[in-house]
Amino acid sequence: MTLTTAYVCVLIAALLPYLWVAISKASGERYDNRDPRRWQEKQQSPRAQRAYAAQLNSYEAFAPFAAGVVLAQLAGVGHSQIAALSLAFVTLRILHGLVYIAGRHYLRSLIWALGLACVVWLLVQAALHVAA
């Protein structure tokens, strides 16, 4: 695996929030693009609410992941390791959104923690390579 794989994963992670919000909008009552934030607040559909929450969580997870990829590369971590952790992160984040929307909260939390572990591992490897 190459660094290109990791960069494609960063792109996918950047786009995931838009997938989840599209699902939220499709799951709610007649979407109103004139006032989307107020429309979202009014939604009673649990699926629409969970998809919106998945969107927000994806935004929160993106910055540390992207920073981890960049810092690991700058620190000289092996490209195959960065790519493998990036693939794992993106796979877990897709699963996270799917189980979030499905309302599987225990599984969602487990998947979230595994995704976070990928980010932490990238950052730890970067720190260790700089210290060496």
Side-chain angles (χ1 to χ4, degrees):
M1 285 188 276
T2 67
L3 202 54
T4 302
T5 303
Y7 286 177
V8 169
C9 288
V10 171
L11 174 62
I12 293 168
L15 295 176
L16 274 177
Y18 303 101
L19 171 62
W20 307 136
V21 79
I23 292 171
S24 176
K25 290 175 181 178
S27 301
E29 298 174 19
R30 293 182 32 192
Y31 178 66
D32 180 4
N33 196 41
R34 289 172 289 175
D35 195 0
R37 294 184 193 267
R38 195 167 322 156
W39 174 87
Q40 184 63 53
E41 293 170 2
K42 295 177 185 176
Q43 294 312 297
Q44 298 298 315
S45 164
R47 179 181 167 92
Q49 292 171 350
R50 289 190 304 262
Y52 180 66
Q55 176 203 21
L56 296 179
N57 192 274
S58 290
Y59 283 134
E60 295 163 1
F62 175 72
F65 168 63
V69 169
V70 170
L71 291 175
Q73 178 197 5
L74 291 173
V77 176
H79 293 178
S80 61
Q81 185 177 15
I82 297 170
L85 287 166
S86 297
L87 279 172
F89 176 81
V90 165
T91 301
L92 289 164
R93 292 305 303 179
I94 291 169
L95 288 173
H96 176 267
L98 293 173
V99 298
Y100 208 141
I101 293 167
R104 305 284 307 270
H105 58 281
Y106 291 121
L107 185 56
R108 179 194 82 221
S109 295
L110 173 63
I111 293 169
W112 176 88
L114 293 172
L116 178 63
C118 292
V119 172
V120 169
W121 192 254
L122 281 168
L123 294 169
V124 166
Q125 288 302 304
L128 291 175
H129 275 74
V130 168

